[in-house]
Amino acid sequence: MSDLSKFPTDMTKYFSSLKLPSVPEIASLMETHKRNLAALAAANKLVFEGAQAITQRQVEVIRRQVTDVTEAAKLLAAPGDAKERAVRQAELMKQAYEKSVADLKEVEDLLRKSSTEALDLVHHRFMEAMDEVKAAVESGTPQA
């Protein structure tokens, strides 16, 4: 069982042995964390805006594809012999494929740009934060 009469003295000794940073270093660390949170909020905003741009582009692609399919159906329903219709169908399929690949590349570029910007922001902030923490700890380190 511990002796409670020693508690205040023991705690004082314990905390003084930790050599915690002084108040100015703590304030500096708090500012560092505020900047960290601001950077994370900005990164989240970039990701959200990127997701919105991707969604908007996908809606535009779907609308265009519906129009393209309607036009293709009209062209394929036009009179002509079987050979001409088969050639038209092959051309339409090729065009649809090329447009789909281009659309996928565009969406991929939007996703990559959004992700890269957010990751770069977080990376730079992390590197700055580590420098700030190091400087705060070094400035609060007692000289031997």
Side-chain angles (χ1 to χ4, degrees):
M1 194 189 259
S2 65
D3 185 1
L4 290 179
S5 64
K6 294 182 182 179
F7 179 76
T9 307
D10 291 344
M11 291 303 288
T12 304
K13 286 180 185 177
Y14 173 73
F15 282 116
S16 65
S17 71
L18 290 178
K19 297 182 181 168
L20 294 171
S22 65
V23 174
E25 286 100 15
I26 290 175
S28 173
L29 290 173
M30 291 302 292
E31 283 302 312
T32 293
H33 290 302
K34 285 180 185 177
R35 287 189 292 275
N36 293 346
L37 291 174
L40 287 174
N44 282 335
K45 182 179 178 195
L46 286 171
V47 169
F48 180 74
E49 289 170 353
Q52 279 184 317
I54 290 168
T55 302
Q56 181 180 352
R57 183 62 188 126
Q58 287 176 326
V59 168
E60 292 167 1
V61 166
I62 290 170
R63 285 183 180 145
R64 194 206 65 237
Q65 286 175 342
V66 168
T67 301
D68 290 351
V69 167
T70 303
E71 291 300 316
K74 288 178 186 176
L75 286 171
L76 292 174
D81 67 21
K83 184 177 178 180
E84 288 175 1
R85 291 171 71 187
V87 169
R88 254 187 279 162
Q89 185 177 10
E91 288 172 0
L92 291 171
M93 293 285 286
K94 182 180 176 184
Q95 289 171 2
Y97 175 77
E98 288 171 342
K99 284 180 182 179
S100 292
V101 169
D103 292 338
L104 285 173
K105 285 182 181 180
E106 184 179 351
V107 169
E108 177 191 20
D109 289 343
L110 288 170
L111 179 60
R112 183 181 297 116
K113 180 181 180 235
S114 171
S115 300
T116 300
E117 287 176 356
L119 184 58
D120 285 348
L121 194 147
V122 170
H123 171 73
H124 290 301
R125 181 61 211 139
F126 179 81
M127 298 307 285
E128 289 173 355
M130 291 301 97
D131 290 341
E132 292 167 7
V133 168
K134 180 181 173 189
V137 169
E138 286 175 343
S139 70
T141 303
Q143 300 289 325

